[in-house]
Amino acid sequence: MLDLKLIRANPEKVQELINRRHGDYNIQPIVELDRASRELETNRSQLSAQGNEIGKLIGQKIASGSNPQGEEIAQLKTEGNEIKTKLSELEPREKELKAEIEALLLELPNLPDESTPIGKSEAENIEIKRWGDEYISDRQNILPHWEIGEKLGFLDFKRAVKVAQSRFVNLVGAGAALERALISFMLDTHISAGYAEVMPPILVNSDSLQGTSQLPKFAEDSFKCSNDDLWLTPTAEVPVTNLYRDEIIEATELPIHHCAYTPCFRREAGSAGRDTRGLIRLHQFNKVELVKLVAPETSEAEHQALLENAEAILQALKLPYRILELCTGDIGFGAAKCYDLEVWLPSAGMYREISSCSNFKDFQSRRANIRFKQAGKKGTEYVHTLNGSGLAVGRTMAAILENYQQPNSTVKVPDVLQPYLKREVL
RNA sequence: GGAGAGGUGGCCGAGUGGUCGAAGGCGCAGCACUGGAAAUGCUGUAUGGGAGCAAUCUCAUCGAGGGUUCGAAUCCCUCCCUCUCCGCCA
């Protein structure tokens, strides 16, 4: 959520930054509603003050011996009632205005960081790094991961569809073990880098989804439980960031670094027909997520470090990848700045997204009301939140099944996973 | 799911209609005392909104939302959560 005071103080600048994004956003209605609501609030609070004054006076009079049923008190009560009548008109209007402003603010995306390259669409993202070219196989006829996976008996799409729907998979035998090994390897690596592991609820309530900005705009992207105010989490970002919702953290507790493995659930509304085969776009997938809550002045450096922590997994697995710096036309709703990691998929001859590392600055913390306090300093400040996949496990499995494929249609186990899987070839 | 008891500031805890944003204690900060410290004493110590250049003034907040009242932490209603007992259960 954007800072209303910032919008008020600098509407042109805010509008200019928001215009850099894809989509049409207009802050003018907010500016006007805000003006009206402040005027109303000033009037209302003056009236309330009068009412409080009368209430106090009645109390004092009765305490000092006035007859509660007497003329004088009755007169004051009448005055009190008059004020109450006026208030009963102003109060609902003020509430309504504030709710309207809130609703509009919740629909507004974050301002892109000044350093985010300006561009209209993903075509204008900037590749800033390429790693592992030497690991790109020159072999022809590499089977797509779903074919090698089914051939080796690791991936069972058919039965998963029977049990659930299309876009689900059942992992079998070494397939399940590989998934588990990847999760453990990723977590162990991040824990060594100083992240504290959490295993949060994966059903989350609406407040949590609003806190990290999946709601209200993106309701159709998540699965909702019909009898409860609970949703299947689309990413661990939601439960982990919201762990701290409505809290005031001691400055000395920052930075907070968490890693978490969770399944993730997405309805993939609007992507019908895309990536229908394989592990790339499922309704349920596993992901290890990195989440940070940090002091504002450190968030840029923390973002770079987060990106490196995600890269470290790809590097350890010797999977070729590139980094894109997303342009203003492609960054997510809540992000001010974002890097995507894309892994090389030989069967497709292209890089596919495997991690997205975003700095939300105070956008989520404002929504989720996550603040920190410096001892001895007055007031509180919003933390900055960041997160990134480290990594999407299913897509990592896909990359391994392809990049580590051998001519005899077996798959070599990456060195770092061998201790987990206790074998060299799948 | 049933029965009962509760939810008050960073923490503990008092407060059942009137000057309560809230006693007292702990914690924390500053000052005094000390060679230094402990102990002690004094002072201060919530968050958010609005008005104002500012000092400051003001509104809201005692789990959440409604209601009664001139006035609600206190009374009424709904919901959420915690604890105890029973039931069910991986």
Side-chain angles (χ1 to χ4, degrees):
Chain A
M1 186 154 66
L2 298 184
D3 182 2
L4 188 54
K5 285 181 182 163
L6 179 70
I7 294 178
R8 190 184 296 156
N10 220 334
E12 295 85 9
K13 182 67 187 168
V14 170
Q15 186 67 57
E16 191 270 311
L17 279 168
I18 217 162
N19 284 347
R20 295 185 186 181
R21 282 182 169 272
H22 174 73
D24 219 3
Y25 299 100
N26 183 8
I27 62 162
Q28 198 51 39
I30 294 178
V31 173
E32 279 158 25
L33 288 172
D34 174 53
R35 197 174 295 136
S37 112
R38 273 185 302 152
E39 196 184 317
L40 202 54
E41 177 172 350
T42 303
N43 292 338
R44 194 227 77 230
S45 72
Q46 280 169 3
L47 207 54
S48 295
Q50 284 175 37
N52 290 344
E53 206 48 54
I54 288 171
K56 255 186 215 173
L57 200 60
I58 291 175
Q60 281 167 3
K61 296 248 183 219
I62 292 174
S64 60
S66 289
N67 175 12
Q69 261 70 46
E71 186 70 15
E72 193 186 17
I73 300 295
Q75 174 63 33
L76 285 169
K77 283 190 183 183
T78 307
E79 267 180 62
N81 270 324
E82 278 164 13
I83 287 173
K84 204 155 77 155
T85 308
K86 288 186 201 159
L87 277 175
S88 70
E89 229 172 278
L90 296 185
E91 270 174 349
R93 267 170 54 204
E94 186 186 345
K95 265 189 194 172
E96 212 174 293
L97 273 179
K98 295 229 155 116
E100 249 178 277
I101 292 168
E102 170 92 0
L104 289 175
L105 279 175
L106 286 173
E107 301 260 334
L108 230 44
N110 200 1
L111 302 179
D113 190 77
E114 286 289 358
S115 69
T116 295
I118 297 175
K120 285 186 187 56
S121 74
E122 60 179 9
E124 291 178 69
N125 293 338
I126 296 172
E127 180 179 315
I128 58 171
K129 176 174 176 179
R130 206 176 265 240
W131 183 93
D133 280 356
E134 67 272 31
Y135 300 116
I136 292 181
S137 169
D138 53 7
R139 198 159 76 78
Q140 299 299 301
N141 307 321
I142 290 180
L143 295 176
H145 66 273
W146 58 88
E147 281 185 26
I148 184 80
E150 286 188 305
K151 192 167 174 178
L152 292 171
F154 297 168
L155 307 179
D156 175 3
F157 291 99
K158 217 177 148 194
R159 289 194 173 113
V161 171
K162 173 171 65 179
V163 169
Q165 254 190 20
S166 65
R167 291 196 193 279
F168 283 86
V169 70
N170 180 44
L171 301 177
V172 183
L178 177 57
E179 184 90 354
R180 204 154 36 80
L182 280 168
I183 293 166
S184 294
F185 166 68
M186 290 178 193
L187 286 173
D188 289 347
T189 304
H190 296 314
I191 291 166
S192 304
Y195 290 83
E197 183 181 357
V198 289
M199 207 175 265
I202 54 178
L203 291 183
V204 297
N205 58 32
S206 299
D207 285 344
S208 295
L209 283 164
Q210 182 173 302
T212 33
S213 70
Q214 284 76 17
L215 284 180
K217 265 205 112 175
F218 306 102
E220 67 284 356
D221 291 337
S222 292
F223 290 103
K224 175 151 182 23
C225 301
S226 57
N227 293 329
D228 302 279
D229 177 31
L230 289 170
W231 308 64
L232 292 167
T233 189
T235 158
E237 159 191 353
V238 178
V240 178
T241 308
N242 278 284
L243 252 19
Y244 298 93
R245 178 152 43 84
D246 293 322
E247 292 196 16
I248 298 173
I249 301 164
E250 281 296 326
T252 50
E253 304 285 316
L254 297 177
I256 293 171
H257 292 179
H258 282 307
C259 59
Y261 151 68
T262 68
C264 302
F265 303 89
R266 298 187 182 175
R267 293 193 60 237
E268 296 297 345
S271 53
R274 258 198 290 164
D275 308 310
T276 49
R277 306 204 66 183
L279 300 172
I280 299 301
R281 197 177 295 278
L282 298 174
H283 287 310
Q284 175 185 338
F285 61 96
N286 294 312
K287 184 155 59 74
V288 170
E289 185 77 1
L290 302 172
V291 175
K292 289 183 170 184
L293 289 83
V294 309
E297 59 275 15
T298 65
S299 80
E300 210 179 306
E302 292 276 8
H303 192 194
Q304 297 301 322
L306 179 81
L307 179 64
E308 283 168 26
N309 294 135
E311 283 185 79
I313 302 293
L314 287 166
Q315 291 180 7
L317 291 168
K318 300 191 169 110
L319 290 170
Y321 68 92
R322 63 173 185 170
I323 304 177
L324 297 181
E325 184 171 5
L326 297 199
C327 73
T328 54
D330 198 31
I331 50 171
F333 183 80
K337 191 171 181 67
C338 180
Y339 299 103
D340 271 8
L341 261 49
E342 295 189 335
V343 71
W344 178 250
L345 285 186
S347 78
M350 64 187 290
Y351 290 94
R352 289 303 302 256
E353 179 183 337
I354 196 167
S355 171
S356 198
C357 300
S358 306
N359 186 353
F360 298 87
K361 299 175 124 186
D362 63 0
F363 187 78
Q364 292 183 326
S365 58
R366 223 172 259 288
R367 290 175 160 243
N369 194 27
I370 307 173
R371 294 167 291 169
F372 73 99
K373 185 172 176 51
Q374 224 131 14
K377 212 168 150 187
K378 202 164 160 53
T380 59
E381 247 184 289
Y382 288 103
V383 302
H384 279 193
T385 63
L386 305 95
N387 64 59
S389 349
L391 308 162
V393 181
R395 290 186 179 185
T396 308
M397 158 113 72
I400 289 172
L401 291 181
E402 298 193 4
N403 285 285
Y404 280 81
Q405 212 175 107
Q406 304 184 105
N408 64 355
S409 288
T410 59
V411 174
K412 190 175 169 295
V413 175
D415 294 342
V416 292
L417 293 183
Q418 288 181 14
Y420 292 88
L421 278 166
K422 301 186 174 60
R423 56 200 282 190
E424 291 169 17
V425 176
L426 299 174

